[in-house]
């Protein structure tokens, strides 16, 4: 088979399996993302190992991964497109406190856990940093399916994830700089300055330039011009976020969605990106999380350490973010929901863990334990959110919230 036919075969299997698993998951009362994650593990090296079939070239593993990365960019863009800057500003206190405590709690607990199991000091600190990561894309997809993304919890959760992303990347950058004996106060200042400049520049460009660009392109007589320019903006914000801001590309994509949510063409943009994302790239992203995990590498003799790391990861993030949300003014129920939504480590956790592996900060047994933790926290988040939100009945929702959710339901 040619490379193209091999890729066509893999995409056919992945897309069909993802949609079938998603449908089955919904029939069982769970978000579709749970089924897509599980079928990824089924197809991955843990069981079937579809990417290692005799007629599949190894280089296609990277191709599928890159398609998945495009999927998470589109997913976070759509999450940002659902919101408005005014709504985000109203919840900034909750978001900041939840994001801050959602990093501080797991990092400290993870550091202590590493020392408890006789990790070297750098490895123990790195374990804490890994536990501090959050993958909001899993929670965002779940909240979108339940049509509560624009609730107070949903808005605060996305804002907290942005604060979490900025803080954990800042801490990781400082830690790696110090490990390389290149750390100094000037290095730390430059890292912070890059982040601040990117956020300010992206906001100013989005407020003043993007509406004009979108308005002009929308009236040009070209096929799918609005969709094309939207994709270019998503990619440009993602590139700028990582290359200039030193943050994850998904943060830039989310900001692009927030900026374009202000334009009159929002609904047309959403329709086009939604079809492209959920028809191809987003299912590949969720399945690829499972494809990138090999549970066969798990060492049984490290069971106690792995179990402890999993429990610390869940408790640290849930209690830390939940407590921060409570301090920010959310009710106990809302704080519990927000804390649960921050549990998933997903692709962000895998990225951070892989950095530690490349830097020689963790050995194989420790890395395997971290990977299992990432799998468990990613899998439990969707059904946990579903269960927590299911306790609420529509009659308990304030009218203002119901009005806010109507656009989301229509889309």
């Amino acid at each position: 088979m040619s490379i193209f036919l091999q890729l066509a075969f893999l995409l056919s299997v992945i897309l069909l399996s993802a949609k079938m698993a998603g449908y089955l998951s919904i029939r069982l009362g769970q978000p579709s993302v749970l089924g897509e994650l599980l079928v990824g593990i089924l197809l991955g090296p843990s069981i079937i190992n579809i990417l290692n079939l005799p007629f599949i070239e190894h280089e296609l593993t990277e191709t599928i991964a890159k398609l998945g990365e495009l999927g998470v960019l589109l997913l976070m863009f759509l999450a940002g497109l659902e919101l408005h800057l005014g709504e985000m500003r109203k919840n900034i206190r909750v978001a900041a406190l939840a994001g801050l405590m959602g990093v501080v709690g797991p990092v400290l607990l993870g550091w202590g856990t590493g020392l408890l199991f006789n990790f070297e000091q750098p490895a123990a600190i790195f374990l804490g940093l890994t536990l501090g990561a959050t993958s909001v894309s899993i929670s965002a997809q779940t909240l979108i399916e339940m049509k509560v993304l624009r609730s107070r919890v949903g808005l605060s959760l996305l804002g907290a994830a942005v604060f979490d992303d900025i803080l954990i990347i800042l801490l990781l950058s400082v830690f790696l700089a110090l490990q390389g004996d290149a750390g100094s106060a000037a290095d730390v200042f430059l890292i912070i300055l890059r982040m601040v400049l990117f956020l300010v520049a992206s906001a100013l460009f989005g407020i003043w330039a993007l509406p004009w660009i979108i308005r002009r392109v929308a009236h040009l007589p070209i096929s799918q011009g609005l969709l094309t320019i939207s994709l270019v903006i998503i990619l440009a914000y993602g590139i700028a976020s990582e290359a200039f801001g030193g943050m994850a590309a998904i943060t830039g994509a989310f900001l692009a969605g927030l900026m374009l949510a202000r334009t009159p063409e929002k609904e047309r943009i959403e329709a086009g990106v939604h079809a492209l994302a959920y028809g191809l790239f987003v299912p590949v992203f969720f399945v690829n999380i499972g494809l990138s995990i090999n549970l066969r590498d798990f060492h049984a003799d490290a069971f106690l350490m792995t179990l402890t790391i999993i429990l610390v990861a869940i408790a640290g993030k849930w209690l830390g973010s939940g407590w921060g949300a409570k301090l920010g003014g959310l009710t106990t129920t809302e704080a519990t929901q927000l804390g649960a939504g921050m549990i998933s480590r997903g692709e962000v956790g895998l990225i951070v863990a892989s950095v530690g592996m490349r830097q020689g900060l963790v050995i194989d047994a420790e890395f395997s334990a971290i990977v299992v933790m990432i799998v468990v926290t990613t899998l439990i988040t969707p059904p946990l959110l579903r269960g927590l939100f299911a306790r609420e009945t529509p009659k308990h929702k304030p009218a203002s919230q119901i009005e806010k959710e109507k656009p989301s339901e229509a889309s």
Side-chain angles (χ1 to χ4, degrees):
M1 296 176 68
S2 67
I3 293 291
F4 170 74
L5 290 180
Q6 293 173 40
L7 178 61
F9 168 77
L10 289 175
L11 288 177
S12 299
V13 173
I14 289 172
L15 293 174
L16 181 61
S17 301
K19 293 304 179 182
M20 290 175 63
Y23 170 74
L24 180 60
S25 184
I26 291 174
R27 291 297 301 269
L28 294 175
Q30 298 299 327
S32 64
V33 61
L34 178 62
E36 293 173 355
L37 291 169
L38 287 173
V39 83
I41 295 175
L42 174 67
L43 293 175
S46 300
I47 302 177
I48 295 177
N49 202 5
I50 188 175
L51 294 177
N52 201 34
L53 293 175
F55 57 88
I56 299 296
E57 297 289 339
H58 180 70
E59 62 192 71
L60 288 179
T61 301
E62 189 67 18
T63 302
I64 296 297
K66 296 307 179 187
L67 291 175
E69 289 180 21
L70 289 173
V72 73
L73 290 183
L74 297 179
L75 177 60
M76 292 310 300
F77 171 78
L78 289 171
L81 202 62
E82 288 278 343
L83 311 176
H84 297 286
L85 282 173
E87 295 174 332
M88 295 292 290
R89 281 196 297 267
K90 292 178 183 177
N91 296 275
I92 192 168
R93 171 180 164 82
V94 180
L97 288 171
L100 175 63
M101 298 307 298
V103 170
V104 172
V107 168
L108 292 178
L109 288 174
W111 183 14
T113 301
L115 295 177
L116 179 66
F117 285 95
N118 299 316
F119 284 27
E120 296 290 333
Q121 186 70 256
I125 296 174
F126 182 78
L127 174 63
L129 292 173
T130 305
L131 267 57
T134 287
S135 173
V136 73
S137 56
I138 308 296
S139 299
Q141 170 64 16
T142 304
L143 296 180
I144 288 173
E145 288 187 22
M146 295 189 295
K147 297 180 174 63
V148 292
L149 185 67
R150 293 181 64 182
S151 66
R152 189 159 68 150
V153 174
L155 293 168
S156 301
L157 174 63
L158 290 173
V162 172
F163 276 96
D164 185 293
D165 178 46
I166 293 172
L167 187 54
I168 203 66
I169 291 176
L170 174 62
L171 292 175
L172 182 62
S173 301
V174 172
F175 173 70
L176 293 177
L178 293 174
Q179 286 298 115
D181 297 323
S184 66
D187 293 326
V188 176
F189 175 76
L190 287 175
I191 292 171
I192 297 174
L193 181 63
R194 286 177 60 191
M195 291 182 172
V196 172
L197 288 177
F198 165 72
L199 291 173
V200 172
S202 62
L204 291 177
F205 183 79
I207 291 172
W208 298 107
L210 283 188
W212 180 84
I213 294 173
I214 291 295
R215 186 169 58 252
R216 293 296 299 269
V217 173
H219 293 92
L220 292 178
I222 53 178
S223 176
Q224 296 297 330
L226 192 58
L227 173 60
T228 301
I229 193 62
S230 300
L231 293 174
V232 171
I233 291 169
I234 296 169
L235 297 174
Y237 264 71
I239 292 169
S241 178
E242 194 161 311
F244 304 118
M247 294 181 287
I250 57 175
T251 301
F254 175 72
L255 290 174
L258 275 179
M259 296 299 107
L260 293 186
R262 303 170 55 254
T263 64
E265 293 79 13
K266 171 194 168 182
E267 291 187 3
R268 289 175 58 193
I269 294 172
E270 184 176 22
V273 176
H274 189 280
L276 182 63
Y278 287 95
L280 174 60
F281 294 103
V282 171
V284 173
F285 161 64
F286 286 125
V287 171
N288 186 64
I289 291 179
L291 293 177
S292 61
I293 294 167
N294 188 359
L295 296 180
R296 295 181 184 181
D297 290 340
F298 175 64
H299 299 276
D301 55 353
F303 176 77
L304 179 60
M305 177 180 69
T306 304
L307 180 61
T308 304
I309 290 175
I310 291 172
L311 294 176
V312 168
I314 295 172
K317 187 67 75 170
W318 201 347
L319 295 176
S321 294
W323 184 36
K326 180 71 174 176
L327 292 176
L330 294 190
T331 66
T332 301
T333 299
E334 290 172 330
T336 302
Q337 293 168 338
L338 186 145
M342 297 285 283
I343 290 174
S344 172
R345 271 49 174 204
E347 82 290 348
V348 179
L350 287 174
I351 291 170
V352 175
S354 63
V355 169
M357 194 67 175
R358 288 197 302 269
Q359 297 288 330
L361 295 170
V362 291
I363 61 176
D364 289 344
E366 297 164 356
F367 181 77
S368 297
I370 292 173
V371 168
V372 173
M373 175 275 294
I374 292 170
V375 173
V376 173
T377 56
T378 301
L379 290 178
I380 68 169
T381 300
L384 191 58
L385 280 174
R386 172 78 72 176
L388 289 172
F389 275 93
R391 296 180 182 179
E392 293 186 337
T393 56
K395 65 181 181 181
H396 291 146
K397 288 186 178 182
S400 60
Q401 180 175 327
I402 294 174
E403 285 299 317
K404 286 182 181 180
E405 289 179 8
K406 281 183 179 179
S408 177
E409 291 173 355
S411 62

